[in-house]
Amino acid sequence: MELLNDAFYMRLALQTAAGAAGQTGVNPMVGCVVVKEGRIVGIGAHLKRGEAHAEVHALNMAGSEAAGATAYVTLEPCSHYGRTPPCSDRLIAEGVRRVVVATEDPNPLVAGSGIARLRASGIEVDVGLLGDEARALNEAFNHFIVTGIPFVTVKTALTLDGRIATRTGHSRWITGPSSREAVHTLRHRHQAIMVGAGTVLADDPELTTRLAVPGLNPVRVVVDSRLRTPPGARVLNAAAPTVVLTTDEAEEDAVQRLAAAGAEVVRCGPGPRVDLTAGLKALGERGIGSVLAEGGGVLNGSLLEAGLVGKMMLFYAPKIVGDGAPSGFAFSGPEQMGDAANIRIVSIERYGEDWCVTGYPERRGEGG
Ligand SMILES: NC(=O)c1ccc[n+]([C@@H]2O[C@H](COP(=O)([O-])OP(=O)(O)OC[C@H]3O[C@@H](n4cnc5c(N)ncnc54)[C@H](OP(=O)(O)O)[C@@H]3O)[C@@H](O)[C@H]2O)c1
């Protein structure tokens, strides 16, 4: 039985926040629950960038009941005028007695000042309840707001021997329907989906979100130094915007052809290959804070080597395809096992016959 205490209400606020995953753009997911004398009087989530914050929805619902109430908020209430007025001012104006905050806002515009403002007005503020859960919920936002570089999650479907296709390049399907449904849910929850030119040429994927209920399509990003993507490729159809990252070496004619087919072509570095850091920065400048990198192995390997992978979700199917088949991470690896990329695994989940291993690459010097 779940006990009725501060954690119960904060968990509810976190669940409310998480429901909006994928629809807040570069903004964080935030939930708020307002409780007065043992009753929930207001509940809200931030649903869309530019629209009301979670506290405002919850306080509007609470109305006059907000006076003397406790507000549970998953992220520090803002203190600055952004697209909406400061939530800390609104909490003060409503006469809320106590505010429980899961985590401080890493946004340099806030970073503790919202909490300080509440305290200065005499509101009791407790910080840190379910903080780890709240930080995990907004891992992409937390990274993007301080670096300007989108948080990259590498998702790959692999055989048990670490291959992403057969020796002929055939890859449909490695994993089963329930893994693929999970991947479409991941697409809905990311702002962009990225593949290399090799995958476009091999599979001609559409890279849209296809679920039993309508989902959101992320921006599609193709990493293509020589603009080998054919103008008729499905990734260029009208279902979603497409950005092609290329190099200064790419022919202007080819740029124009892809632009005419609907893509935004962005030159990232002198070549011969796309400068992935510059490419991610360019995506950040376009308001993209999270990227789901769906391969193939060459792109995965480059992202990992460049230290650009924030998270990995590796879906393993109970299959073995043997020699000659492409590997999930194609890069010239280290000589010594001690120099291998270490992944801190946080979960192993079953999807039908498959297993999804989720983890975070450790930076050199971190971990054991
Ligand atoms: N199982 C899965 O989850 C999965 C997912 C995707 C693909 N696949 C399979 O993987 C195979 C294709 O994989 P792939 O590894 O050949 O293709 P890829 O990783 O999708 O594309 C690699 C290509 O991207 C271009 N590129 C440009 N800049 C780059 C950079 N900085 N780093 C890396 N690549 C860069 C390069 O081509 P240019 O030099 O011409 O630009 C490179 O050859 C297919 O058989 C496909 O079916 C499987």
Side-chain angles (χ1 to χ4, degrees), residues 155-158 163-166 168-171 174 195-200 202-203 223-228 245 247 272-276 294-300 302-303 326-327 330:
K155 164 269 143 186
T156 305
L158 301 143
R163 312 294 178 161
I164 56 165
T166 66
T168 65
H170 188 250
S171 65
I174 297 172
V195 296
T199 297
V200 170
D203 300 342
V223 181
D224 182 358
S225 15
R226 291 169 282 161
L227 298 186
R228 292 186 291 154
L245 303 178
T247 61
R273 279 199 161 158
V274 173
D275 177 337
L276 294 172
E294 290 206 31
V298 173
L299 179 62
N300 289 348
S302 293
L303 286 167
S327 125

